[in-house]
Amino acid sequence: AGANTEVLATDLSGVKTNDEIAAMVPDAVKADGKLTIGDNVFYAPAEFYAPDGKTAQGYDIDFAKALAKVMGLEADIQDSEFDSIIAGIGTKYEVGIANFTITPERLEAVNMVQYFSTGSLWGVKAGNPDGFDPKNPCGAVVGVQKGTFQDETIDALNDKCPSDKKMQIQRYSEESAVTMAVAGGKLKAFYADSAVAEYAVKTSNKALEVVGEPDDMAGIGVAISKSDEQLTKAIQAAVQDLIKNGHLANIFSTWGIKDGVATEAILNPKN
């Protein structure tokens, strides 16, 4: 068998432009016919490069394309440093779609429309040879991707560990590097979004498994400038359109995800 060169993508041919929603799009956004989206294409299965190294794929990529289509636009997805996207919304990017967890800090900076929710989950080498306990990770050498929700919350978990049994936390710029370090035995466990952890296991050729249950269930949202009320309303309406017509559920099912898909496009959810 040859190398896997396949690009996985949801068939979006059934997604139609909604003229009412297209009419809500601000002229400044409409002008070039594109929705400019900041994303960080290193977080499978949300967004990552296909084996060709060029084609972005993932549920966020499919979602971004479908969202733009409903608005009568083309998605212009720009690969960016994860940490820099929110700061660039309203100037460099019109929206941010990068599996952003909705947090109080982020809601101070941008508007967010929820389209998914996910938890945090631990992953280990298949068979859990080190007997890693997700309820008591103290003393273990573990990894996270920099700038993620788990990167922010793992220190609080570590604060609960006794001073002589702290976790040794290694931070990587790409999730794939974290999971490889676990598969290779360099780390005992990785901490990631539940969808990310489950996908890493699914594609690890039985090298990895998840342990425990997802905790910290949280919403994932599209980020839009707080000063652009018109675009915010158009995005919210477009997400609602994708929910109503079954397209959002269809996109997630392409990536083996059934749980956590939004049933309502909530703007700035508080929890």
Side-chain angles (χ1 to χ4, degrees), residues 108-209:
E108 281 175 24
V110 286
N111 281 332
M112 299 190 83
V113 174
Q114 185 167 331
Y115 61 96
F116 185 46
S117 61
T118 182
S120 298
L121 195 57
W122 290 99
V124 296
K125 204 168 176 172
N128 196 3
D130 297 315
F132 176 81
D133 179 1
K135 290 193 166 62
N136 179 22
C138 301
V141 184
V142 300
V144 289
Q145 185 186 352
K146 278 193 286 210
T148 59
F149 179 68
Q150 291 72 31
D151 182 12
E152 293 166 22
T153 54
I154 200 166
D155 287 329
L157 287 182
N158 212 11
D159 287 344
K160 295 176 184 162
C161 295
S163 56
D164 60 335
K165 284 207 72 179
K166 293 290 183 200
M167 283 184 274
Q168 291 176 45
I169 301 162
Q170 298 190 5
R171 291 171 160 90
Y172 293 75
S173 58
E174 293 174 22
E175 186 61 44
S176 53
V178 187
T179 51
M180 273 174 63
V182 174
K186 277 175 45 183
L187 302 174
K188 285 202 174 166
F190 67 90
Y191 197 43
D193 275 6
S194 50
V196 170
E198 284 164 8
Y199 183 79
V201 167
K202 184 178 144 187
T203 54
S204 72
N205 206 358
K206 302 194 167 69
L208 301 169
E209 66 182 58

Side-chain angles (χ1 to χ4, degrees), residues 230-249:
Q230 202 182 339
L231 182 59
T232 298
K233 284 182 173 159
I235 294 284
Q236 186 178 16
V239 174
Q240 192 62 46
D241 183 273
L242 291 173
I243 291 168
K244 187 183 81 183
N245 291 308
H247 299 307
L248 192 64

